[in-house]
Amino acid sequence: MAKGDDAVRKKRNKINRKRMRNSESAVSARVASIIAAKRRRKAGKRRICEGMCYSLPTAEDPFNDRHGKKELPKKKKKPPPPPPPPPPKKKIRKEKNPASPNPDKKVQAGSSAAVAVPAVKLGPKSGGDDFGCPSKFLILCLNAIRDSWMDEGWLDESADGSLLLSSTWGVDLWRCFSARSNVLDTSGACSSREQIAWLVSAASDIITRKEKQGLVVKCPFLLFLVPSQEKAIQVRSICKPLKALGIHTVSLHPGAPVDHQVRGLKSCEPEFVVSTPDRLLELVSLSAIDISGVSLLVVDGLHSFVDLNFVDKLNSIKVGISADPHIVIFSNTHGETSMSLARNLLGGPTTRLSLFDSIASQSAFLLQNVHFCASEEQKMTEVMQIVSETVSNQNLQSARILIIAESISKAQMLVSSLRGENCNLLCGLTSGCFTISDSDEEAKILVKDRESIPTVDVEQFEIVIIVDFPLTIGEYTEILTRTARHSVIGILHSFFCKVDAALARPLITVLEQCRQVVPEALRSLDSSQV
């Protein structure tokens, strides 16, 4: 039976409604969102924006199209990286003539107070580890020590602590470590707190640099020798803030039982060891500690060790270190025993440092010999005798000699006399100065006139002979404080005549300040002027 038109239409509408119900594009997006929200509400699942709180329209969004949400800033596209620059052209370096003078500039101690300084070459035979510039870890160590001082009340909290960071002495010490030069400090009888802080911070910096390079650092790295238990406790307290940075310090002194210290050394491997010589040798004999790999040896208060008869013990400790360590000595006295001990301990290139600019501090470990001569012939005879004794002395065979004459004509006369007096001496004229050296280059003699002394690197000469005394005492002290800055011991010979009687009193004052021997002829000449 054929279906009617109503039934066909009804069936077609039903199929269309079913098709529209299943199609995603059946309704608009707004109607679809309302339907979806209704379904979620019936299912018990709501969005955060469909809570009980409703956002109000604002001036920026009057129709509330963003539903209270802030418009996120659009991400800016990063510009494309610039093309890499072309590789620089290599410059061809010309080889330098080995016979030409050294073009390296002289570095003066205390010339810079900045912390970031380049590694420089100090001393005549330096050639060490190029550390570049002080690292952030060095500043971190100094800041840790400074903060601990502020907590203890030793340092004023109102101070910014920049005096510790900008210490010229500390920068010079770091330069010496970079140039592998030993240090002889003549600031005082023993080290100060600031000096200890810089020393242990620089040692910590060296340890971290070597570990970053993949090198094995033997423990203990630093051996700090002190004369008493009180000094050991002081050094240990300064090093204590470095424990949080991975640097462990152990103090060894007679005030603690030996068994306790042996157990402590077995339980840890300290980077720093602070000890008295007698207790250290006792623990070494018990095989509780091995000092053969020490890289930095510090002797604090050389004169105190001499007074305590620890000279042999210091030499034994030095022999027990098989490596070639940096050595730092603090002492301002220059007795005969102290000078001999310092010479034995400091074998390699050495730089003398000082915190103060006083004449006594700058001229420590320098011998001042004043010769009183009545005539020019006697003066020339004694000059030749000093040069001959220096060349023949085994301890001074490698020393360099600087002879200062009044004029160029007198310098030429000295060169002629030296050539005739000493055999196997060769004389050459170079840039206005006479350089004399023997065939084996065991002694080098430089003769200069007085006017050209400011251009001479006096720091490199161990022995200086002033043939004609300067016109003022200031010129004498300037030569004195510049002599032998890169050696353990220096000698300054000066010749005094009756024409220099007006400078007798100032010269005696300088000799007494430096605790040097004053000749009786000089005192009698001074008394005759009164």
Side-chain angles (χ1 to χ4, degrees):
M1 179 177 177
K3 293 182 180 180
D5 296 335
D6 295 337
V8 173
R9 190 182 303 111
K10 187 183 295 185
K11 186 176 180 181
R12 187 169 55 247
N13 292 339
K14 184 178 180 180
I15 293 173
N16 291 335
R17 288 195 302 271
K18 187 176 180 180
R19 185 184 299 115
M20 292 178 63
R21 192 183 305 117
N22 297 332
S23 176
E24 294 180 356
S25 61
V27 295
S28 63
R30 182 173 178 275
V31 176
S33 64
I34 294 173
I35 295 172
K38 185 177 180 180
R39 289 176 181 175
R40 287 193 298 269
R41 186 170 64 253
K42 290 181 178 180
K45 299 177 181 180
R46 292 190 178 189
R47 293 181 179 179
I48 298 177
C49 62
E50 295 176 353
M52 298 303 295
C53 297
Y54 298 93
S55 58
L56 298 176
T58 59
E60 293 80 7
D61 187 16
F63 301 101
N64 202 16
D65 294 332
R66 294 197 298 268
H67 301 285
K69 294 183 178 181
K70 295 182 179 180
E71 186 177 359
L72 298 176
K74 297 181 180 180
K75 294 183 179 180
K76 297 181 179 180
K77 295 183 179 181
K78 296 182 178 179
K89 297 181 180 181
K90 296 183 180 180
K91 296 182 179 181
I92 302 175
R93 296 183 178 180
K94 297 181 179 181
E95 296 182 356
K96 297 182 180 180
N97 186 7
S100 61
N102 186 11
D104 294 342
K105 294 183 179 180
K106 174 175 65 67
V107 178
Q108 297 179 355
S111 60
S112 174
V115 175
V117 292
V120 294
K121 185 176 180 181
L122 294 180
K125 297 181 181 179
S126 63
D129 310 324
D130 186 7
F131 294 148
C133 61
S135 65
K136 294 181 180 179
F137 188 77
L138 174 64
I139 310 302
L140 184 64
C141 295
L142 291 173
N143 288 334
I145 296 174
R146 181 199 59 187
D147 295 342
S148 67
W149 288 354
M150 288 185 177
D151 296 339
E152 295 172 0
W154 188 85
L155 188 64
D156 188 6
E157 294 184 359
S158 61
D160 57 355
S162 60
L163 294 177
L164 182 62
L165 296 178
S166 61
S167 172
T168 306
W169 185 93
V171 176
D172 292 337
L173 176 71
W174 186 89
R175 286 174 173 173
C176 294
F177 285 169
S178 179
R180 284 204 59 84
S181 175
N182 297 327
V183 177
L184 176 60
D185 181 80
T186 58
S187 304
C190 59
S191 60
S192 62
R193 295 174 64 96
E194 292 82 0
Q195 289 175 322
I196 297 174
W198 262 97
L199 198 151
V200 297
S201 299
S204 303
D205 183 30
I206 296 174
I207 291 176
T208 54
R209 287 175 183 271
K210 291 187 175 182
E211 289 179 347
K212 288 181 180 180
Q213 295 173 1
L215 302 177
V216 178
V217 180
K218 294 184 179 180
C219 292
F221 178 84
L222 167 64
L223 178 57
F224 204 113
L225 297 179
V226 293
S228 62
Q229 176 182 347
E230 292 75 14
K231 188 65 177 181
I233 295 174
Q234 180 191 17
V235 177
R236 171 68 178 84
S237 64
I238 296 175
C239 299
K240 191 174 181 180
L242 302 179
K243 186 177 181 180
L245 302 177
I247 305 298
H248 190 64
T249 306
V250 171
S251 177
L252 307 175
H253 51 77
V258 178
D259 298 338
H260 174 71
Q261 295 177 351
V262 170
R263 289 194 298 269
L265 291 172
K266 289 182 179 180
S267 62
C268 67
E269 292 184 358
E271 284 78 14
F272 296 165
V273 172
V274 185
S275 177
T276 56
D278 50 350
R279 179 51 59 93
L280 179 65
L281 291 176
E282 185 178 358
L283 293 172
V284 170
S285 63
L286 296 174
S287 300
I289 185 174
D290 182 18
I291 62 173
S292 60
V294 171
S295 299
L296 178 59
L297 175 63
V298 180
V299 181
D300 194 358
L302 189 66
H303 188 66
S304 300
F305 291 107
V306 175
D307 293 341
L308 295 172
N309 295 325
F310 283 168
V311 176
D312 295 337
K313 295 181 179 180
L314 290 179
N315 291 327
S316 300
I317 293 173
K318 178 64 168 56
V319 173
I321 301 176
S322 58
D324 186 16
H326 284 157
I327 300 178
V328 180
I329 295 179
F330 293 93
S331 179
N332 64 344
T333 56
H334 47 273
E336 204 172 309
T337 307
S338 300
M339 295 175 69
S340 177
L341 180 59
R343 188 189 294 111
N344 293 335
L345 294 176
L346 300 170
T350 303
T351 302
R352 288 195 285 123
L353 300 180
S354 179
L355 284 172
F356 313 107
D357 295 332
S358 62
I359 299 175
S361 178
Q362 294 287 336
S363 63
F365 286 86
L366 285 178
L367 296 177
Q368 302 179 49
N369 297 329
V370 180
H371 308 271
F372 187 80
C373 298
S375 62
E376 289 293 327
E377 291 77 10
Q378 182 183 359
K379 184 188 299 185
M380 297 299 294
T381 303
E382 293 193 13
V383 169
M384 299 304 156
Q385 184 178 358
I386 293 172
V387 173
S388 300
E389 291 177 355
T390 303
V391 174
S392 59
N393 192 344
Q394 294 182 355
N395 296 327
L396 300 176
Q397 282 185 352
S398 60
R400 300 183 64 189
I401 304 175
L402 173 63
I403 302 177
I404 303 174
E406 184 179 8
S407 60
I408 297 180
S409 60
K410 197 165 186 177
Q412 294 175 351
M413 184 178 62
L414 283 170
V415 170
S416 302
S417 301
L418 288 170
R419 184 191 304 167
E421 181 72 18
N422 298 279
C423 58
N424 298 329
L425 291 181
L426 302 177
C427 174
L429 181 62
T430 306
S431 65
C433 64
F434 301 94
T435 303
I436 303 177
S437 62
D438 62 358
S439 57
D440 297 332
E441 295 187 358
E442 294 178 350
K444 297 181 180 179
I445 306 172
L446 179 65
V447 183
K448 295 281 285 188
D449 59 290
R450 186 185 298 167
E451 293 182 357
S452 58
I453 288 301
T455 62
V456 179
D457 192 4
V458 185
E459 289 85 351
Q460 305 294 337
F461 292 89
E462 291 81 7
I463 299 176
V464 177
I465 303 174
I466 304 177
V467 179
D468 301 294
F469 202 82
L471 300 177
T472 61
I473 197 65
E475 296 180 13
Y476 175 81
T477 56
E478 183 180 359
I479 297 174
L480 173 64
T481 55
R482 291 173 57 193
T483 300
R485 300 303 299 175
H486 299 303
S487 61
V488 182
I489 299 173
I491 304 176
L492 176 60
H493 297 275
S494 59
F495 291 88
F496 207 83
C497 301
K498 289 184 179 181
V499 294
D500 307 317
L503 300 176
R505 170 50 51 185
L507 180 58
I508 292 175
T509 304
V510 172
L511 293 175
E512 290 177 349
Q513 289 178 357
C514 301
R515 289 172 287 183
Q516 298 287 328
V517 178
V518 180
E520 292 297 332
L522 188 62
R523 291 188 184 275
S524 60
L525 186 62
D526 175 54
S527 60
S528 63
Q529 295 293 320
V530 179

